[in-house]
Amino acid sequence: MIDVIAGALLIGGAAMAAIAAIGIVRFPDVLSRMHAATKPQTVGLLMILAGLGLRLQDLSAITVLFLIAVFQLLTAPVSAHMVGRAAFRTGFAKRDQLTVCELETDDDAA
């Protein structure tokens, strides 16, 4: 039964990673692509790590997998934020499609 759950998690994680890759190719602008590159990819990686943890059942391997998951959860939002900020400041983000713009200064609005 554990092998079936692990296999389902591995296949589900691979599917989420494939969805993220398709989103990166298909979405039109930087911010949409950034969304596709972070959220489904992170969930897919967590599902794959959970599947590996169930399959391996070794404490040292599970510890390493847990650390990988923690670092992924810590670094993905920061890197997405930095990519979004760089895209905004260099003019690659479509400012007219933003509903809230917290990075715009008073000089930019005038």
Side-chain angles (χ1 to χ4, degrees):
M1 183 66 181
I2 289 178
D3 289 339
V4 173
I5 295 171
L9 285 171
L10 291 171
I11 291 171
M16 293 298 287
I19 290 170
I22 292 169
I24 290 172
V25 173
R26 297 286 299 173
F27 283 158
D29 59 349
V30 173
L31 298 180
S32 299
R33 288 178 181 165
M34 182 179 65
H35 176 78
T38 54
K39 292 181 177 44
Q41 182 268 340
T42 302
V43 173
L45 178 66
L46 292 177
M47 290 176 72
I48 288 173
L49 293 176
L52 283 174
L54 285 176
R55 184 71 180 106
L56 294 175
Q57 296 183 351
D58 179 32
L59 183 60
S60 63
I62 291 173
T63 303
V64 171
L65 295 174
F66 178 75
L67 288 174
I68 292 171
V70 167
F71 283 119
Q72 175 67 29
L73 290 174
L74 289 175
T75 59
V78 173
S79 63
H81 177 78
M82 297 307 292
V83 168
R85 180 174 277 224
F88 183 83
R89 295 215 170 154
T90 57
F92 285 107
K94 297 177 182 174
R95 293 180 184 207
D96 56 336
Q97 293 182 348
L98 299 175
T99 55
V100 176
C101 182
E102 295 177 351
L103 294 176
E104 191 171 32
T105 61
D106 292 335
D107 296 335
D108 294 337

